Every structure is written in structure tokens, then in C-alpha cells.
Amino acid sequence: MIEYLDLIMFAALMGAILLGFPVAFSIAGVAVIFAYLGWSLGKMDISLMGALGQRAFGLLTNQVLIAIPLFVLMGALLEKSRIAEELLDTMGRLFGQLRGGLGISVVLVGALLAASTGIVGATVVAMGMIALPTMLRAGYDARVASGIVCTAGTLGQIIPPSTLLIILADVMSNAFQQAQYEQGLFSVQALSVGQFFAAAMIPGFVLVGLYLVYILLRGWLRPEDMPPAPADMARPTRAEVLGAVIPPVLLIFAVLGAILGGVATPTEAASVGAIGALLMTGHRIGVAPRLILLGTGALIALGLLAGAFPVRFQRNDVSSEAYALGLFYVGLAILGGLAVLLALRAALSKNVVQEAIGSTLTMTSMIFATILAAGVFSLVFIGLGGEERVADILGNMPGGATGALVFCMIVIFILGFFLDFVEISVIVLPLITPSLIVMGHDPIWLGVLIAINLQTSFLTPPFGFSLFYLRGAAPKSVTTGQIYAGVIPFIGLQIIGIILIWSLPGLATWLPSMLF
């Protein structure tokens, strides 16, 4: 019994979470109990717990994870200012007359919001409150409509920027370094968030393509499930479409372009995204459009020109042309800062910033508390011999490296029925990914496969988060059973997506190899 204490510890964690205890407290509490239990039974050296301080300090000083609250704030601002609602309404009216047109619009808006917010909950709730009633009024089958809304909302987990990819990049980079040490390499390489963002771009759009093909085929084969919208639905003008689509697209290019182009780190790009979302919020709630556009243009010009032609006043050999250029940069900064301040004042007066900051603090504290508690859990699990057990299990799998990866993907998929992506990422992945990398799997490709698998955890009953989000936002006429039934075809599409990435690794590895 004592030799299986590590497995009993994992089972106890699952039980505590299923009983409804707060996740972070469940993880840390189970870890502390089993640490003292292992110590009292002579199974664990309790001095190992002395490393907890270093783990906590490492988390608090992790430059990669600082990007999480900034990306969450960016998404929260777009949600609270109702920019997402305007985009959803416009796209719905644009595609509504096609069979399955409303479903197509929801998927496309989900992809746009994913690339500009990266927050699953906000996207699902917004689409559940706006798009789902419209689809039901148009005669959509409740199961189909629910499945489309849930699935489109989860695109924020695979299309960058996403909190999942940031956490996964940190976990996979640590696993890659650990695997290099185990292979006797002491001049180790690290992996960046930018590499994972680049790797997830094409697979994310492959998933979007799979969803669209399924909706079009179903609309053609079973038109009664997805009829066109009512004929009296007003089509949007070109100006309305451009006004709804261009701002999020520009924000996406500013954030992802800065990261993938090597101009800014993810944290710096996240701060750019937060400022961009604030300017969009100011434009949406009534600040003079010309001033917002001038300020935005000034900040973009400042970023491009200062990067291409830097001016350093502290040098002794600064020319008069450089002084003039520097003063021009100061003018651009003042103009951009004025637009930001006016947008901030307007957003504060409408209570948008306060609500966005509240949402950001709630989500960020949940993520970081879980990561910190997972550090305690993994330390105790290693102390009880769990790491060696995992390595032995994977090493003895039939089929070698491929068999081990298939086994791990199945385990992650099953855990997704019960655990959140953060818990799986910070508890399970550090235990299995070093062994998989040592076996020869490419860490970037492996990370993308796992990301799509973890995205599926938002859809799998009974504890898929998207299901809960939609249950809270959906009309009472839509039952929980219909929501569960609606996501089943899309879970199948997710599995097809995993098989495609597995069969064609270049879909995940080509873009990062080109950019990095």
C-alpha cells in the first residue's frame, strides 16, 4: 500500500475536486496531507519541501506568465465595452441568409474574438446571450445551435494569444530543458511563447475550417436543422462591416505581429493589446473618433519609427537631425498619450474599466493560485516516487514512443472530463512531457497536439467549462441535455484535428521554423 502512495495521492486529488472543494485549496491541501503521510511512513524526505520557497519565487518572477493578466485585461475590455456584441450582430446579418449562415458567422466571430481576446468564458457567454436566441428564432435545432456556440467559444484556447498557450509554453520549455539535462546536454535551449503562438496559428485555422465544412455539409444535408435567417433581417452596409471587423483585425495584427515579427516580447505585446483595447473601448463609448484615430496612428508610427530609427539623447554625438526626430517622437507620444487618457476617462465614467479589472483580477488570481498549488503537489508527487513511476510506465508502453504518446493523449482526454486545462497543464504535463521529449517527440509539435486535446476539455461533459458558461447564458428553453448532445459532433472534429496535426507535423512546425 505504501509503495502506491503517489497513485493514491492523485486519486485523492480527483476525489477532492469532484466533491466541489476550491481547486487551488484541494491541490495544496492534498499535497500537504500526503507530504506528512509519506514522511511519517518513511516514504518521503520532508526536507524536499524546503524547495517550496524557490518555486513560489520562480513563479512570481516568471517573465512569461506576466503576459497572462495583460491578455486577460485586453479581452475583458473588449467584452465589457460590447465590441464583441457589435461584431457578432454585424456578422450574423451578413451571413444570415445562407443555410447555416448564422452558424458560419458564429464560428468566424469566435475565431476573431479568439485572436483578439483569448478568453473562452467571455466569448461563450456573449454568443450565448446574442447569437443563440437569434439562431433559435430562425428555426435552428437547439442541439446544433448550442454545439456551434460552445465550440466557437473554445477557439480562444488554441488561436493565439491564449492563456493556455502561455502556460503551455512555460511548461514545455521547462520540460524541454529537463529532457536535455537527462540526455547529458548542459548547454540547453529554451522555447519561447512566440514559437508556440506561431505553431498554433495554422492548426487553429485548420479547426476553424473543419467547423465551417461541417456546418455547410449539415446545412446542405439537413436544411431543417439550420434554415436561413428571416428574410426581413436587415443586411449590414459595407461601412458597418468594415467598422465592426477592422478594429479587432488591427488589434490582432498589432499584438501577434509584434510577437511573431520579433519586435516585442509577449509581455510587451500584451501591454500593446491592452492599450489598443482601451482605445477601441473609448471609440465605442463616445470619445471623438478623430482623436482616437489620430492617437492610435501616432502610437503606431512611434513604434515603427523608433524601432527603425532610434534616437539616444544621452550620446555626445547626437546630430541636429536626430534632435528634431526625437522631438517629433515626443510629439507622437504626447498625442497618443492624450488619446489613451481620454479613452480611459470615458471608460471609467461608464464603469467599463472597473468591471474589466474585476474580471481580470478574478481570473488571474485563479490561474496563479492553481499554478502555485500545483508546484506544491508536483514536489510531493516527485518526493513519493511518482516521477520515476510515470517514466517507467511510459518507457514500458507497447509501441515505443508512439505508443507512449497515444497513451498520454488518451489520459489527457479522459482527465479533461473532470479537470480544468490549468490543472492538467501544471500538474500532469510536467510529469509526462520530459519523458516524451526524451523519446524523440518534437516539443513544439507535441505542445500543439496537447493544446488541441486540452481545448477539447472545455467541451467534454460533465464538467466542460464551455457547457457551464452556455448553460448560464442560454434561454431556459434549451436543456442541459441538448447542450451536451450538441457538442458531441464537434468533439469528433477536435479528434480529427488532432489526427491531422499528428499525420502532418508540418502544420505545427513549419511557421515557427520559418520565423524563429
Side-chain angles (χ1 to χ4, degrees):
M1 191 74 165
I2 296 176
E3 63 185 29
Y4 296 110
L5 208 56
D6 52 338
L7 298 180
I8 297 171
M9 175 185 176
F10 201 86
L13 172 63
M14 295 285 289
I17 291 174
L18 293 177
L19 286 173
F21 290 108
V23 171
F25 295 124
S26 297
I27 297 170
V30 168
V32 170
I33 291 169
F34 275 82
Y36 281 100
L37 187 60
W39 175 52
S40 62
L41 295 174
K43 177 70 174 173
M44 177 180 168
D45 181 3
I46 199 67
S47 64
L48 191 64
M49 300 297 284
L52 281 179
Q54 282 184 314
R55 290 208 165 198
F57 183 75
L59 172 65
L60 296 174
T61 56
N62 191 318
Q63 294 295 317
V64 173
L65 299 180
I66 294 174
I68 291 177
L70 291 168
F71 278 128
V72 174
L73 177 61
M74 181 176 77
L77 283 170
L78 294 181
E79 178 211 354
K80 302 299 181 184
S81 60
R82 301 188 179 278
I83 292 171
E85 292 184 18
E86 183 180 341
L87 178 62
L88 198 54
D89 175 69
T90 305
M91 297 295 280
R93 289 188 287 127
L94 180 64
F95 292 99
Q97 300 304 318
L98 300 173
R99 282 184 185 175
L102 289 174
I104 293 170
S105 69
V106 167
V107 171
L108 292 177
V109 169
L112 274 174
L113 293 179
S116 54
T117 69
I119 302 176
V120 169
T123 306
V124 173
V125 169
M127 292 196 291
M129 295 177 68
I130 305 162
L132 186 58
T134 304
M135 295 165 83
L136 294 176
R137 283 196 300 269
Y140 273 57
D141 183 279
R143 293 169 299 178
V144 176
S146 300
I148 292 172
V149 169
C150 276
T151 308
T154 64
L155 287 169
Q157 292 300 87
I158 188 63
I159 296 178
S162 97
T163 52
L164 167 61
L165 291 175
I166 295 171
I167 295 171
L168 199 61
D170 184 57
V171 170
M172 294 301 295
S173 182
N174 292 334
F176 185 43
Q177 292 178 25
Q178 184 180 336
Q180 291 174 87
Y181 283 130
E182 291 180 12
Q183 292 170 327
L185 303 173
F186 296 100
S187 179
V188 296
Q189 297 177 336
L191 302 174
S192 70
V193 174
Q195 286 173 284
F196 281 90
F197 278 8
M201 288 288 287
I202 295 175
F205 291 120
V206 166
L207 287 178
V208 173
L210 287 173
Y211 300 159
L212 293 177
V213 168
Y214 170 75
I215 292 170
L216 288 170
L217 284 175
R218 181 147 185 170
W220 180 57
L221 295 171
R222 295 177 59 89
E224 68 276 8
D225 285 351
M226 292 188 286
D232 59 354
M233 177 181 280
R235 288 183 64 83
T237 63
R238 181 177 297 181
E240 285 179 315
V241 174
L242 293 177
V245 172
I246 286 179
V249 169
L250 289 177
L251 186 63
I252 293 165
F253 274 108
V255 175
L256 295 183
I259 296 172
L260 300 181
V263 177
T265 65
T267 304
E268 292 165 347
S271 63
V272 169
I275 291 296
L278 181 61
L279 288 169
M280 287 171 62
T281 300
H283 182 273
R284 174 72 175 76
I285 60 179
V287 178
R290 284 188 180 179
L291 186 54
I292 291 291
L293 292 175
L294 276 174
T296 304
L299 291 174
I300 293 172
L302 178 62
L304 294 174
L305 292 173
F309 309 103
V311 175
R312 296 179 176 87
F313 284 130
Q314 68 271 27
R315 293 177 55 173
N316 296 324
D317 57 345
V318 180
S319 64
S320 56
E321 291 84 359
Y323 269 114
L325 187 60
L327 291 174
F328 177 62
Y329 289 169
V330 170
L332 291 177
I334 291 172
L335 184 57
L338 180 62
V340 171
L341 287 174
L342 289 175
L344 179 61
R345 187 179 70 174
L348 284 169
S349 67
K350 301 285 187 180
N351 232 30
V352 172
V353 170
Q354 294 90 323
E355 292 179 6
I357 289 176
S359 298
T360 302
L361 289 173
T362 301
M363 184 170 289
T364 304
S365 59
M366 179 198 75
I367 291 173
F368 277 83
T370 304
I371 296 174
L372 189 59
V376 184
F377 185 92
S378 61
L379 198 62
V380 177
F381 190 78
I382 292 168
L384 294 174
E387 192 173 42
E388 291 83 358
R389 187 185 300 279
V390 170
D392 288 342
I393 291 172
L394 295 181
N396 294 321
M397 274 287 140
T402 302
L405 181 54
V406 170
F407 172 76
C408 290
M409 293 295 282
I410 292 172
V411 168
I412 292 170
F413 181 77
I414 293 171
L415 289 175
F417 283 78
F418 309 102
L419 300 179
D420 180 26
F421 78 94
V422 179
E423 296 136 40
I424 298 174
S425 298
V426 296
I427 296 175
V428 180
L429 296 189
L431 302 174
I432 62 175
T433 47
S435 298
L436 292 174
I437 294 171
V438 168
M439 289 178 176
H441 293 297
D442 182 276
I444 299 287
W445 172 77
L446 179 63
V448 172
L449 282 180
I450 292 172
I452 299 175
N453 202 342
L454 290 174
Q455 181 195 352
T456 310
S457 70
F458 278 81
L459 301 175
T460 45
F463 298 118
F465 272 59
S466 285
L467 309 177
F468 286 130
Y469 293 138
L470 186 61
R471 176 64 279 167
K476 292 183 180 179
S477 59
V478 178
T479 66
T480 303
Q482 288 173 324
I483 295 174
Y484 283 6
V487 297
I488 291 174
F490 292 96
I491 293 173
L493 292 175
Q494 293 280 123
I495 296 171
I496 292 173
I498 292 174
I499 294 171
L500 281 174
I501 307 304
W502 191 311
S503 306
L504 302 169
L507 292 174
T509 57
W510 175 77
L511 189 57
S513 67
M514 292 291 291
L515 294 176
F516 297 91

